[in-house]
Amino acid sequence: MAQLQVNDLTFSYEGSSDNVFENVNFSIDTSWKIGLIGRNGKGKTTLLNLFMGRYEYTGSISGSTAFDCFPYPVSESDLEKTGEELASVWKPCVEMWQILIQMNQIHMDPECLYRPFKTLSFGERTRVMLAVLFAADDEMLLIDEPTNHLDADARAIVKEYLASKKGFILVSHDRDLLDAVVDHVLVLNRKTIEIQAGNFSSWQENKERSDAFAIAENEKHLKEIGKLKAAADRSNRWAIKNENTKIGFDPIKETDRNISTRAYIGAKTKKMQARVKSYEKRMDREIEEKEGLLQDIETVTDLKINPMKYHKDTLIEARDLGLSYDPGMPLFSDLTFKICQGERVFLSGPNGCGKTSIIKAILRELGDKLPDDKDSDLTVSGELMVASGLKISYINQDTSCLKGTLKKYARGTGLDESLFLAVLRMLDLEREQFAKDISDFSEGQKKKVLIATSLITPAHLYIWDEPLNYIDVFSRMQIEKLILEYKPTMLLVEHDVRFKEKVATTVITM
């Protein structure tokens, strides 16, 4: 297929002094299946928008292919329309039979196209959009975080579907998805952009080797610079000492000296000073090489957490638990489980099965409730026992409540401002973001605000509801390491397969 060329691409948002991209150059084949990888805030979604022509930029993006992008925009009024009506707006160039072929491939009942969009689950909406996206030929497709908010079954279907396709750029932090569907990676490093054949795991393996080599080379350069500095200092001291002997001498003690010796000493001093300059030039070359070595090293700072110790082993116990909003339609019933100190319990199951409702019920037992909890008609059957005086640190799925600067947020929530900002820096939030309004952050950066808040809040139990949506791969591994080292007691809802495999001690399948 065609080549897509990016030359000298430079872009910054209006009012910002920082360039998101500066003189970027790369070339890709439009038949590749590309995973776009990078830290939160590095410009992954921005790059997709530049391909779509949504922003003005300098430089050029050239190629004969057209672009289309997932997700499609859906307004409040659009929710009343059917998928068929929306498809004619999203992709007017395709016919319904083309969409129906894709619906079959992504295991969707065609009947979903004729229902109001608001009646579809998140997973169904995602699959309808992907079916429309892939319905046309000869397009380079841009796919931004297709598995966020999807349960395990929906993720598996999307993964299988994308693995059968080609000609797309996929933004995702799901390591399992990237490994299954991409054959190239486009990586936004700290200072550079690179393209490499393979999936995420092969790139990570190469990256770790490359970083280890760069660190070893850096150590070698540092040692060489140290030797050169010592030699330069020694030669310089010799030159100064020698120069000081040019004027004046004792003819009785220094019988071999005469007035003509002065020229010889001057020439010798000049040679020593030239040697010093040579050392300095070599040092400059070594330093220049050294500075280029570590510019893309992913240094992950170890996070800390101080979980509180409760005086009893069992923190939460449910016996024959049932929850419902409508007495005739229970979410589930007869669920029995226990959360003891040191356990990391994952709630697993399809969207709508009641995972978040369990969290609501636990918080209500403590006399608390979610900020967005309008479902006062949640009824509980069976037994739900929560330890008295239990301190909980909670991460909500919703980030819409985050407004104002970080310092204002810290004061409003009673956080230690210095500690809060320090943890955010450890999570790789740039200092430039500290003065910005949180509402202007990327979704991944907003999630990091919630994670940092939870980490510095002393608690017996940490309840995290889909904490990793939009969080970059490096931060996910950083959080995994934290949990495995400090072993806090946790109740989690999270669909990241790799994260669950590494962290969970118990999985409750609903």
Side-chain angles (χ1 to χ4, degrees):
M1 288 185 71
Q3 288 285 314
L4 177 64
Q5 299 277 350
V6 175
N7 296 308
D8 296 324
L9 175 66
T10 300
F11 171 77
S12 66
Y13 285 102
E14 187 176 351
S16 174
S17 58
D18 306 312
N19 285 334
V20 181
F21 300 110
E22 187 168 357
N23 299 325
V24 167
N25 296 277
F26 63 87
S27 173
I28 56 177
D29 193 298
T30 56
S31 67
W32 291 349
K33 304 190 286 188
I34 302 169
L36 180 53
I37 301 169
R39 285 276 195 178
N40 292 131
K42 289 301 294 181
K44 298 182 294 299
T45 300
T46 300
L47 184 61
L48 300 191
N49 285 323
L50 290 172
F51 285 145
M52 291 295 292
R54 292 170 180 167
Y55 304 139
E56 292 185 3
Y57 57 88
T58 60
S60 66
I61 299 173
S62 58
S64 58
T65 188
F67 294 98
D68 199 8
C69 189
F70 169 97
Y72 293 111
V74 179
S75 65
E76 285 295 324
S77 59
D78 286 339
L79 292 174
E80 304 297 329
K81 299 176 181 177
T82 65
E84 180 188 27
E85 292 172 308
L86 293 173
S88 65
V89 176
W90 296 336
K91 217 170 184 77
C93 61
V94 302
E95 298 182 21
M96 187 51 58
W97 64 268
Q98 293 171 288
I99 298 173
L100 290 173
I101 290 174
Q102 299 301 319
M103 291 284 283
N104 180 60
Q105 291 180 9
I106 204 167
H107 306 301
M108 278 289 284
D109 188 337
E111 181 265 340
C112 290
L113 285 170
Y114 307 102
R115 287 166 46 193
F117 208 63
K118 68 179 181 181
T119 65
L120 304 181
S121 68
F122 280 121
E124 289 171 333
R125 293 179 192 183
T126 293
R127 288 151 68 188
V128 166
M129 285 187 182
L130 287 173
V132 174
L133 186 76
F134 280 94
D137 297 323
D138 301 324
E139 289 182 327
M140 187 65 173
L141 302 177
L142 313 173
I143 308 169
D144 195 1
E145 298 279 13
T147 57
N148 277 341
H149 305 294
L150 299 192
D151 59 41
D153 291 341
R155 283 178 180 233
I157 292 170
V158 168
K159 180 172 70 173
E160 180 187 356
Y161 180 71
L162 290 178
S164 69
K165 301 298 181 181
K166 63 179 182 178
F168 59 78
I169 298 176
L170 169 67
V171 176
S172 178
H173 302 299
D174 186 326
R175 290 160 285 180
D176 184 59
L177 179 68
L178 289 169
D179 278 348
V181 308
V182 307
D183 56 23
H184 286 75
V185 291
L186 173 60
V187 187
L188 306 184
N189 290 315
R190 292 185 177 275
K191 297 292 183 183
T192 62
I193 290 181
E194 67 171 312
I195 297 169
Q196 193 176 115
N199 58 19
F200 173 80
S201 289
S202 65
W203 170 79
Q204 185 187 18
E205 186 178 336
N206 291 336
K207 175 69 171 167
E208 288 172 352
R209 280 200 296 264
S210 173
D211 286 357
F213 176 77
I215 291 169
E217 284 293 295
N218 185 65
E219 290 297 321
K220 187 175 77 174
H221 283 301
L222 287 173
K223 288 179 181 177
E224 183 64 22
I225 290 165
K227 290 178 182 177
L228 291 170
K229 281 183 177 178
D233 181 63
R234 188 166 56 249
S235 293
N236 193 44
R237 282 188 281 108
W238 286 346
I240 293 170
K241 183 179 179 182
N242 209 55
E243 182 72 9
N244 289 338
T245 65
K246 279 173 61 177
I247 307 298
F249 64 94
D250 187 337
I252 295 174
K253 292 181 179 179
E254 299 176 83
T255 56
D256 59 334
R257 286 281 301 271
N258 57 55
I259 194 70
S260 63
T261 310
R262 182 177 177 182
Y264 167 75
I265 294 172
K268 188 176 179 182
T269 301
K270 190 175 181 181
K271 281 185 179 180
M272 289 182 179
Q273 289 171 336
R275 190 178 299 171
V276 171
K277 290 189 180 299
S278 175
Y279 286 140
E280 288 174 346
K281 286 180 180 178
R282 283 179 60 189
M283 275 191 286
D284 288 341
R285 286 199 300 271
E286 292 285 342
I287 290 169
E288 187 177 343
E289 288 182 44
K290 171 184 168 292
E291 286 174 344
L293 285 171
L294 303 185
Q295 63 178 358
D296 283 331
I297 294 286
E298 281 295 345
T299 52
V300 177
T301 308
D302 289 346
L303 297 170
K304 294 183 179 180
I305 192 172
N306 293 305
M308 298 169 67
K309 190 77 174 175
Y310 194 72
H311 61 276
K312 292 182 180 179
D313 186 54
T314 301
L315 304 186
I316 294 174
E317 185 171 5
R319 296 176 187 163
D320 300 322
L321 179 67
L323 296 179
S324 67
Y325 294 100
D326 182 337
M329 297 182 64
L331 292 169
F332 60 84
S333 60
D334 302 323
L335 179 64
T336 298
F337 67 89
K338 185 188 292 187
I339 302 175
C340 298
Q341 290 202 69
E343 291 187 327
R344 279 101 55 194
V345 178
F346 277 68
L347 298 176
S348 180
N351 291 335
C353 70
K355 299 184 296 292
T356 298
S357 296
I358 289 178
I359 293 173
K360 291 179 182 179
I362 291 170
L363 293 177
R364 288 183 182 184
E365 285 294 314
L366 290 166
D368 201 354
K369 64 185 294 186
L370 301 186
D372 61 342
D373 185 3
K374 303 179 181 65
D375 304 308
S376 57
D377 53 349
L378 176 65
T379 58
V380 179
S381 62
E383 294 182 84
L384 178 61
M385 293 165 283
V386 179
S388 176
L390 194 67
K391 299 291 184 184
I392 285 180
S393 178
Y394 171 66
I395 293 180
N396 194 351
Q397 290 186 36
D398 186 24
T399 61
S400 62
C401 60
L402 298 176
K403 296 180 178 66
T405 63
L406 291 170
K407 292 184 177 181
K408 185 177 179 181
Y409 170 82
R411 288 192 294 269
T413 49
L415 300 174
D416 181 314
E417 184 180 305
S418 298
L419 180 59
F420 176 59
L421 296 180
V423 172
L424 284 171
R425 282 294 297 128
M426 291 177 188
L427 286 165
D428 205 57
L429 192 74
E430 299 291 341
R431 292 187 188 278
E432 291 78 6
Q433 301 299 117
F434 289 5
K436 297 180 181 178
D437 194 295
I438 303 174
S439 59
D440 294 329
F441 285 10
S442 71
E443 282 301 315
Q445 290 169 329
K446 289 178 182 177
K447 278 287 188 179
K448 287 183 178 181
V449 171
L450 295 180
I451 290 171
T453 302
S454 181
L455 290 179
I456 65 173
T457 302
H460 301 113
L461 175 65
Y462 294 82
I463 299 180
W464 290 4
D465 194 358
E466 297 197 24
L468 301 186
N469 282 339
Y470 306 103
I471 291 289
D472 63 73
V473 172
F474 307 104
S475 295
R476 291 184 185 215
M477 293 189 287
Q478 190 179 18
I479 293 165
E480 284 172 6
K481 185 177 179 181
L482 162 82
I483 293 171
L484 293 174
E485 181 176 353
Y486 289 91
K487 297 179 173 56
T489 308
M490 306 187 79
L491 176 63
L492 303 103
V493 177
E494 178 53 54
H495 301 296
D496 185 322
V497 175
R498 300 279 175 87
F499 184 77
K500 188 189 300 182
E501 287 173 351
K502 287 178 178 289
V503 168
T505 59
T506 304
V507 177
I508 299 171
T509 303
M510 301 175 61

